[in-house]
Amino acid sequence: MQGNSYSDLKVYGKSMSEQWFVGFKFYCAKRNKTKRCHQVRLGVNYQATVRGRIIEGESVRKVVERCLKEGWNPFDCDVKSFIQSQQVPNLNEIVSREDPRNLPFNEAMQWAYNKKDNKKGTLNGLRSGLKYIKLAASSLGFDNISIQGITRFHVCEILDEMKTIRQAEYDISTNKRYIGKKFTPNQYNAFLDRASALFFEFENRGIIEFNPCHKIAKKDEIDFGIHKHASAQEVDIIKRELPQKHAELYNFLRFEYVLGMRPDEILDTKFSMVDYLNSTINISDALYNNRGELISKTTAYRQVPVPGYLLDWIKERAAGGDPDRYLFSYKLKPGYHRLSRCWISMLWLEHVIEGLGINVSLYSFKGKGGDAKRDAGIDLAAVSAGYGHNNTSMARNIYLTGEGERLRNQIIEKAPDL
């Protein structure tokens, strides 16, 4: 006689607008009945992001699978009652088996990645770093070491092995992007930063006393000029030609230049986020987009100041329409579709880099606009705050390429004589 059985055990749910659950088909031999899609939630829907629900849903799926293997019959009771009946270890004991202190190194690093709640681009970088960390650790035989046994020595060895593995991939690649490519100090530093971000999860919880990445020296980076600022002549050509070729792309560029917002932040901006009374765009009013991803790089309260001339342009663009629309949607006009950053990059490549022959990135105009604000007399701290930075060092060192020249000119013009 056939016994109880289950199938199709998985997490159901895609967007924040619906209820998520772990579902499965269950056949009860005693009753000769099948439940087509039994649903278990166990707090999955308390998570505030899609990513959070995916992670929590997978944890619940493992709990449900364990209960089913231990004999739980959904026809007899719900899963909570079965857990509480002590017929299986309680939920806390099940979760404790995934305590990172009890996991081998590679699994512990995966656990740390799963704890991250960052922007999609940041998570992509972390995922790439995690991939090579695991490969390097396995190659060196470090993959089964406890996370508490990892020292700075192990991390340095892993970083060197990551470099070897990545260069070997370049050497055999047939992709035009990678043929002849060499692993750079910039990539080494990026891998170190990603490893440090993962180890932070252990340090923050007291699992390790110190982050082993903190005192590892970074390499001297190569400046490839990827985000070099456009010259005055190039800016003049863009201002003259781009409005004729693609007016909405020029509007997008102007928005980034004036406000210093990141392209993804602009694409996530809706008219409802504009505070016309206080002349600000309140990113904090919608920390997460419809896909459950962070709009800004942090969850800090942030208001982006909007000059009057640009606020008037936004009012005209809104034209009494639905405030739930994006400022830049299909064809870069107001609408309900959230564009991808990749699509904007393709437009920029077509109309500016190839169309006008000006090899500068769209993102470089964030810094270009910041330099223009400083030249107009706006304080460095104000420019930095507009970027959403906690201190001025990032704005000064990364975006404001003209800051050094401004400081030198101040000394030349204002230094007093003896």
Side-chain angles (χ1 to χ4, degrees):
M1 179 179 177
Q2 181 185 358
N4 295 343
S5 63
Y6 64 91
S7 61
D8 297 335
L9 176 62
K10 60 182 179 181
V11 180
Y12 291 83
K14 293 183 178 179
S15 69
M16 296 299 294
S17 62
E18 58 184 318
Q19 290 287 303
W20 289 44
F21 60 89
V22 172
F24 57 94
K25 293 180 183 178
F26 185 86
Y27 172 74
C28 177
K30 179 180 177 181
R31 297 172 177 82
N32 193 26
K33 288 184 177 179
T34 299
K35 281 198 172 186
R36 293 297 178 188
C37 190
H38 188 75
Q39 299 182 9
V40 178
R41 290 179 172 81
L42 288 181
V44 174
N45 295 297
Y46 292 134
Q47 299 298 315
T49 67
V50 169
R51 176 174 167 75
R53 291 189 181 185
I54 290 172
I55 295 171
E56 184 68 17
E58 180 58 22
S59 297
V60 172
R61 188 196 66 77
K62 291 179 180 178
V63 170
V64 171
E65 184 174 32
R66 178 60 186 267
C67 290
L68 289 167
K69 288 180 177 179
E70 294 288 342
W72 172 47
N73 187 329
F75 284 93
D76 294 336
C77 64
D78 62 29
V79 70
K80 288 183 181 179
S81 299
F82 186 69
I83 291 171
Q84 292 167 358
S85 71
Q86 300 301 312
Q87 294 181 61
V88 296
N90 62 39
L91 190 58
N92 289 332
E93 290 176 355
I94 292 172
V95 172
S96 72
R97 290 197 180 92
E98 297 187 358
D99 187 326
R101 291 170 293 189
N102 303 327
L103 296 175
F105 175 72
N106 279 4
E107 292 183 32
M109 295 302 278
Q110 181 66 55
W111 175 91
Y113 172 80
N114 291 342
K115 290 295 181 182
K116 292 295 184 182
D117 183 17
N118 299 95
K119 281 182 68 64
K120 183 178 179 181
T122 304
L123 288 175
N124 287 341
L126 285 173
R127 184 163 58 249
S128 173
L130 177 64
K131 170 187 172 183
Y132 289 101
I133 288 172
K134 286 182 174 181
L135 287 172
S138 297
S139 174
L140 296 166
F142 297 163
D143 51 318
N144 286 316
I145 299 177
S146 161
I147 194 66
Q148 293 171 318
I150 295 292
T151 66
R152 196 188 315 165
F153 163 77
H154 293 102
V155 177
C156 287
E157 292 296 301
I158 287 172
L159 288 168
D160 287 342
E161 186 66 13
M162 290 166 73
K163 172 184 175 180
T164 301
I165 292 171
R166 195 69 181 105
Q167 186 59 59
E169 290 179 345
Y170 291 150
D171 292 342
I172 63 173
S173 177
T174 57
N175 188 320
K176 291 181 179 180
R177 293 174 57 194
Y178 301 134
I179 294 175
K181 186 176 175 67
K182 298 297 180 183
F183 189 90
T184 66
N186 307 40
Q187 290 172 283
Y188 180 94
N189 292 343
F191 277 143
L192 174 57
D193 288 340
R194 291 161 186 171
S196 181
L198 294 173
F199 276 106
F200 168 80
E201 298 300 328
F202 306 113
E203 182 187 26
N204 189 50
R205 289 167 173 79
I207 294 171
I208 56 176
E209 190 172 354
F210 301 107
N211 187 327
C213 298
H214 279 178
K215 291 187 178 181
I216 297 176
K218 288 192 171 184
K219 308 290 187 183
D220 292 333
E221 295 199 354
I222 301 170
D223 184 2
F224 293 103
I226 296 173
H227 297 303
K228 67 182 178 75
H229 291 184
S231 67
Q233 293 81 2
E234 289 172 330
V235 171
D236 287 341
I237 292 172
I238 290 172
K239 289 172 66 175
R240 183 176 67 249
E241 301 292 336
L242 190 56
Q244 309 300 322
K245 292 178 175 293
H246 200 303
E248 291 296 348
L249 182 58
Y250 179 77
N251 288 335
F252 189 95
L253 171 65
R254 182 187 181 213
F255 211 81
E256 180 187 282
Y257 179 87
V258 173
L259 300 184
M261 292 173 67
R262 303 174 182 91
D264 270 332
E265 291 174 343
I266 298 173
L267 292 173
D268 276 314
T269 300
K270 297 182 177 182
F271 288 104
S272 59
M273 296 163 63
V274 181
D275 183 345
Y276 295 104
L277 180 62
N278 295 302
S279 299
T280 60
I281 291 175
N282 299 332
I283 292 181
S284 52
D285 286 351
L287 288 174
Y288 296 90
N289 61 25
N290 292 339
R291 296 175 295 184
E293 300 165 350
L294 277 170
I295 289 177
S296 186
K297 284 191 174 180
T298 70
T299 56
Y301 184 77
R302 183 172 167 214
Q303 294 177 306
V304 179
V306 184
Y309 59 85
L310 196 60
L311 194 69
D312 291 339
W313 178 84
I314 295 173
K315 287 180 181 178
E316 183 179 343
R317 193 172 180 81
D322 186 354
D324 199 43
R325 294 175 302 159
Y326 293 103
L327 269 70
F328 295 94
S329 182
Y330 180 63
K331 293 186 177 180
L332 289 182
K333 295 181 178 180
Y336 297 97
H337 176 68
R338 200 281 189 187
L339 294 177
S340 71
R341 167 88 177 267
C342 178
W343 196 79
I344 298 294
S345 298
M346 290 172 60
L347 280 178
W348 185 260
L349 175 67
E350 177 186 352
H351 293 285
V352 178
I353 296 178
E354 294 179 352
L356 298 179
I358 298 175
N359 190 21
V360 295
S361 70
L362 172 63
Y363 193 65
S364 69
F365 280 84
K366 173 185 170 80
K368 182 73 175 175
D371 269 333
K373 293 183 184 74
R374 292 289 290 124
D375 289 339
I378 298 176
D379 188 75
L380 174 61
V383 175
S384 180
Y387 286 161
H389 298 160
N390 294 324
N391 56 61
T392 60
S393 61
M394 183 174 289
R396 183 173 59 249
N397 297 335
I398 297 177
Y399 296 104
L400 305 180
T401 61
E403 193 62 22
E405 185 65 25
R406 274 186 290 273
L407 294 175
R408 284 190 292 273
N409 288 338
Q410 283 185 34
I411 295 174
I412 293 170
E413 294 171 6
K414 300 180 180 179
D417 195 357
L418 179 63

